[in-house]
């Protein structure tokens, strides 16, 4: 509870989540009715796109028909079939249209014969393609949206059936900012859970950083769960890019941790606990981002060669090319080659503290450059005296080697009294959304 301030919506939403957790099966119908109202209340504080989620899920929970039966009965009454699929690197016109359920030789020939269509559909794997078909599986309309390199907007490609044959058009449009609310529970790993919830990797990595002091995302337990609200950038309602995490909750080992992004006007933003304490630390817990590529290796993140006492640092095993980031704000003291270290970057922080990153395959910064926490400074490699690709990381205070784990972390300042009312409004809204997200996973799990 936030200093005794608690909105009615929040109370209701959190009670619903709690009830669901405790009595999952017995009271489904009753809860579904309450949930519907909780979902509606949450809608008021959410963006239009995120608000669709709880309501939609509630309808599933209340309907006795299975999802397959529902969609079957829907199809019986509709004349246009909507299908989506993702492009693959091996795709051809035939293969893609077949996956979309299109059986239309004229459409296939059109795609094959149009360089515009081939470029839009097959230039890059992973694009979402939407098709509309007649009941005879003839193509009515097909569209793709993507973000071109170095551009703030998006491109929309559409093929449409006209009385005189197919016509294609490529347009440029602007992305619409929105937000998405999602939740998941751990069965094996964080990435498995975020995949299930269709949460982008960039958001999973942010979650790992935000809760680094509270939760070790590399050793989660089955049943641990999370909810998150994050920024999206959308094209015609389809999220093409994710942005910053706006609020999140992580329940791990029975303990609940919450974070809210708060940025007062003209100031640097930061994550805070609901009570107003800052979650920002002077140093990140890892110089290697928690990513799909590093997570498997990082499971064995403890020193692989020696303890820090024997060689003055900690080694992080990760594949060559994995991004290395500065753990704190500072300036580059040295960027170049030093004997056994190979390519090394040394960063000077406050209070005569330095961090060093060695054996790099690539150096992205220059001496004297100002660096902010989390900024990429190079990539993992095996230059110098390294038996294999890894990052050798050192912490020095007044030039002396220190165990990174022993460095006293100064945190960010808590919310000031002047900013408290603005923060409370955001924190209460965030908690309502997160509670609604948890109700939804519980409902769909039942
Ligand atoms: Zn080392």
């Amino acid at each position: 509870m936030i200093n005794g301030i608690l909105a009615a919506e929040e109370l209701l939403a959190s009670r619903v989540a709690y009830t669901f957790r405790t009595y999952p099966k017995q009271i489904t119908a009753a809860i579904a009715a309450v949930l519907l109202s909780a979902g509606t209340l949450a809608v008021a504080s959410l963006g239009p796109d995120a608000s669709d989620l709880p309501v939609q899920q509630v309808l599933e929970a209340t309907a006795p028909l299975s999802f397959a039966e529902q969609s079957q009965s829907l199809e019986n009454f509709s004349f246009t079939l909507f299908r989506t699929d993702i492009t693959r690197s091996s795709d051809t016109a035939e293969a893609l249209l077949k996956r979309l359920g299109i059986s239309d030789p004229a459409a296939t020939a059109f795609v094959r014969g149009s360089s515009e269509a081939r470029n839009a559909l097959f230039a890059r794997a992973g694009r979402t393609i939407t098709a509309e078909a007649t009941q005879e599986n003839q193509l009515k309309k097909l569209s793709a949206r993507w973000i071109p390199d170095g551009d703030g907007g998006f491109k929309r490609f559409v093929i449409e059936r006209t009385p005189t044959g197919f016509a294609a058009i490529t347009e440029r449009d602007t992305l619409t900012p929105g937000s998405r609310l999602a939740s998941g529970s751990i069965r094996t790993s964080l990435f498995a859970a975020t995949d299930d919830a269709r949460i982008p990797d960039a958001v999973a990595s942010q979650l790992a950083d935000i809760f680094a002091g509270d939760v070790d995302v590399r050793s989660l337990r089955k049943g641990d769960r999370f909810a998150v609200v994050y920024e999206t950038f959308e094209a015609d309602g389809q999220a093409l890019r994710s942005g910053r995490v706006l609020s999140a909750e992580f329940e791990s080992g029975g303990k609940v941790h919450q974070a809210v992004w708060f940025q007062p006007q003209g100031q640097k933003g930061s994550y805070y606990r609901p009570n107003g304490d800052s979650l920002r630390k002077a140093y990140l817990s890892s110089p290697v981002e928690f990513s799909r590529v590093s997570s498997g290796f990082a499971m064995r993140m403890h020193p692989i060669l020696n303890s820090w006492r024997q060689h003055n640092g900690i080694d992080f095993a990760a594949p060559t090319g994995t991004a290395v980031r500065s753990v704190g704000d500072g300036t580059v003291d040295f960027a170049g080659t030093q004997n056994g270290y190979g390519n090394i970057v040394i960063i000077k922080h406050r209070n005569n503290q330095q961090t060093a990153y060695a054996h790099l395959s690539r150096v992205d910064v220059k001496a004297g450059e100002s660096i902010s926490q989390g900024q990429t400074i190079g990539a993992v490699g095996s230059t110098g005296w390294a038996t294999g690709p890894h990052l050798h990381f050192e912490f020095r205070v007044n030039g002396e080697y220190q165990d990174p784990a022993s460095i006293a972390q100064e945190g960010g300042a808590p919310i000031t009294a002047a900013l408290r009312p603005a923060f409370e409004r955001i924190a209460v809204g965030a908690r309502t959304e997160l509670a609604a997200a948890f109700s939804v996973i519980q409902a769909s799990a039942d």
Side-chain angles (χ1 to χ4, degrees), residues 311 315 390 392:
H311 82 310
D315 294 320
H390 72 279
H392 173 91

Side-chain angles (χ1 to χ4, degrees), residues 305 311 313-315 359 390-393:
L305 302 178
H311 82 310
I314 284 191
D315 294 320
H359 307 314
H390 72 279
L391 174 70
H392 173 91
F393 175 69

Side-chain angles (χ1 to χ4, degrees), residues 325-391:
R325 59 191 185 169
S326 172
V327 293
D329 294 340
T331 51
V332 178
D333 233 8
F334 182 88
T337 305
Q338 286 182 6
N339 234 1
Y341 286 121
N343 295 326
I344 180 171
V345 172
I346 301 173
I347 294 178
K348 192 169 77 182
H349 308 284
R350 293 177 53 200
N351 306 326
N352 287 320
Q353 299 180 339
Q354 286 178 315
T355 49
Y357 312 78
H359 307 314
L360 302 175
S361 61
R362 193 186 78 222
V363 171
D364 296 343
V365 292
K366 289 195 203 75
E369 204 175 319
S370 162
I371 301 292
S372 54
Q373 186 179 67
Q375 185 178 333
T376 298
I377 55 170
V380 171
S382 51
T383 56
W385 301 336
T387 51
H390 72 279
L391 174 70

Side-chain angles (χ1 to χ4, degrees), residues 20 28 31 35 57-58 60-61 437-446:
F20 247 108
T28 308
I31 282 295
L35 238 185
Q57 294 280 7
V58 166
E60 283 182 30
F438 275 137
S439 311
V440 167
I441 43 168
Q442 192 59 62
S444 52
D446 292 340

Side-chain angles (χ1 to χ4, degrees), residues 106-171:
T108 310
F110 180 81
V111 171
R112 211 190 295 126
S114 159
S115 59
E116 186 183 358
R118 289 200 310 273
N119 185 50
L121 303 177
F122 309 125
R124 207 166 291 179
R127 279 185 191 161
T128 300
I129 311 295
T130 304
E132 297 172 27
T134 65
Q135 284 185 312
E136 289 74 43
N137 295 317
Q138 301 247 300
L139 183 67
K140 288 171 90 170
K141 187 177 176 182
L142 182 144
S143 60
R145 288 156 194 86
W146 68 94
I147 298 178
D149 292 333
D151 192 310
F154 77 95
K155 281 192 170 179
R156 178 195 301 112
F157 169 76
V158 180
I159 295 176
E160 216 155 357
R161 180 184 288 276
T162 72
T164 54
F166 289 103
I169 184 169
T170 308
E171 301 161 303

Side-chain angles (χ1 to χ4, degrees), residues 98 222 309 402 407 418:
K98 193 176 172 199
K222 191 168 185 252
R309 278 166 215 287
Q402 300 274 321
I407 303 299

